[in-house]
Amino acid sequence: MPSLKPLKKAVLPVAGLGTRFLPATKALAKEMLPVVDKPLIQYAVEEARAAGIEQFCFITGRGKTAIVEHFDVAYELEKTLSERGKEKELAQLRAEAMEPGSIVTVRQQVPMGLGHAIWCARHFIQDDPFAILLPDDLMLCDVSCTKQLADAYRETGGNVVAIEEVPRERVNRYGVLDVEKDMGRLVSVKGLVEKPPVEKAPSNLTIIGRYVLMPEVIGHLSKMERGAGGEVQLTDSMAKLIGAQPFHGVRYEGRRFDCGDKAGFLEAQIAFALKREDMAGAVRDFLARYR
Ligand code: G1P
């Protein structure tokens, strides 16, 4: 296999309106909603960094400036923490600081779908492979989910998407795989369909919000063909890569929480709190009261 380009870039679409979380999201970007004490967007960035990603492109829209602020150095805050002797908090902020110049933002001026959002990052992507992380999908994994995909990219030399099995009646909410060969952890793909009707779905293996794609997908996206829901769908352009490039699903190890959904978001709070030594006991105790 010819030597592969290293995976250093990630695109994070954050332009969505967050209507399902109104009124919380009236003046607050939904990606800034915290799970325990960390905003969703920060979980995604940390997951990507754990996979060796160094360059980030946020696809933003109106009302999303807090996301960019969040990753800036908070000079006044650091000074105050230092004066008050809050060394632990200060050390945490500094450890999380981003490399200067590692984040760029692009505005998606009109909501035309996920495919259109990714196309907006074309000048950032250039000729490089890139990861996509949808921050609504919060991952609880021992090994960063994006790292699992990055490893699979190095193994297969092509496009990889994280997948999971869902009950048949729910396939119509996702991008669905048409399986060529199921090899266990890796699944080679002969087709992809976005949000098919349940009775027409080719399998119950669905795409979650983690991808590593080759830059050629941009050429297909630029045709701006509308798909499911009248939107420019990323899934449709990914499907066009099949045959020309390797394309695999990866059964990732870990759990996904759909934080675009209220119940999923609440479950994530509990699951992440139970992972915290400083909280697990108290959370277990109060949960016992709700049986
Ligand atoms: C998007 C993708 C879909 C994927 C899903 C995962 O859909 O279009 O293929 O399965 O993310 O969360 P959305 O949830 O934005 O409708």
Side-chain angles (χ1 to χ4, degrees):
M1 200 187 291
S3 71
L4 283 177
K5 282 197 170 179
L7 180 67
K8 296 288 171 198
K9 295 182 176 176
V11 177
L12 287 83
V14 294
L17 289 178
T19 44
R20 276 188 280 179
F21 280 88
L22 282 169
T25 49
K26 203 174 156 200
L28 178 74
K30 68 171 171 169
E31 297 79 11
M32 289 302 293
L33 294 175
V35 168
V36 185
D37 52 10
K38 199 188 283 184
L40 284 171
I41 186 72
Q42 192 176 339
Y43 284 100
V45 166
E46 287 178 5
E47 179 193 318
R49 290 177 93 184
I53 299 292
E54 293 172 358
Q55 299 170 40
F56 294 83
C57 181
F58 294 161
I59 315 297
T60 69
R62 275 172 285 279
K64 300 283 180 169
T65 42
I67 296 177
V68 181
E69 289 283 325
H70 182 74
F71 289 99
D72 199 359
V73 172
Y75 176 75
E76 295 85 352
L77 175 62
E78 288 194 10
K79 188 163 172 287
T80 309
L81 289 175
S82 167
E83 282 164 7
R84 293 186 185 168
K86 302 250 178 211
E87 296 304 326
K88 198 171 130 243
E89 289 79 359
L90 192 57
Q92 188 185 344
L93 283 188
R94 291 197 170 144
E96 291 167 356
M98 302 294 287
E99 277 286 307
S102 58
I103 296 180
V104 298
T105 63
V106 166
R107 297 271 279 219
Q108 185 189 24
Q109 293 139 317
V110 280
M112 283 171 59
L114 179 59
H116 177 259
I118 301 303
W119 174 82
C120 288
R122 64 199 178 284
H123 301 304
F124 166 80
I125 295 164
Q126 297 184 339
D127 285 331
D128 294 316
F130 63 103
I132 301 172
L133 295 91
L134 309 186
D136 275 1
D137 279 340
L138 178 60
M139 308 305 296
L140 187 55
C141 303
D142 290 339
V143 174
S144 146
C145 185
T146 299
K147 167 133 192 343
Q148 296 181 43
L149 286 187
D151 291 343
Y153 157 64
R154 284 185 280 273
E155 195 179 328
T156 63
N159 306 275
V160 285
V161 293
I163 56 166
E164 65 183 19
E165 275 163 52
V166 301
R168 269 259 157 203
E169 64 274 15
R170 284 203 266 137
V171 289
N172 55 357
R173 303 179 191 182
Y174 299 99
V176 180
L177 269 60
D178 192 355
V179 176
E180 180 186 54
K181 192 166 171 219
D182 193 335
M183 297 163 279
R185 188 177 65 89
L186 287 179
V187 175
S188 66
V189 175
K190 65 176 180 206
L192 295 166
V193 200
E194 179 69 12
K195 301 191 175 80
V198 172
E199 61 286 0
K200 289 201 178 144
S203 76
N204 69 336
L205 282 176
T206 58
I207 302 170
I208 64 152
R210 297 293 184 275
Y211 313 70
V212 171
L213 299 180
M214 304 303 107
E216 287 76 12
V217 75
I218 298 296
H220 296 295
L221 287 171
S222 63
K223 302 201 176 96
M224 293 295 149
E225 285 168 18
R226 305 275 181 153
E231 296 189 336
V232 180
Q233 295 291 353
L234 177 62
T235 303
D236 296 343
S237 284
M238 293 194 305
K240 295 197 176 121
L241 298 171
I242 298 169
Q245 298 179 339
F247 207 114
H248 293 83
V250 180
R251 283 194 176 88
Y252 71 94
E253 281 178 31
R255 281 188 71 190
R256 158 186 176 260
F257 297 90
D258 179 3
C259 291
D261 169 79
K262 290 189 204 36
F265 181 64
L266 255 187
E267 192 184 353
Q269 304 285 350
I270 305 291
F272 277 74
L274 288 174
K275 283 266 166 190
R276 291 264 298 252
E277 268 176 34
D278 58 334
M279 295 182 70
V283 174
R284 262 202 197 90
D285 286 351
F286 80 61
L287 279 179
R289 295 201 289 273
Y290 291 89
R291 299 223 161 199

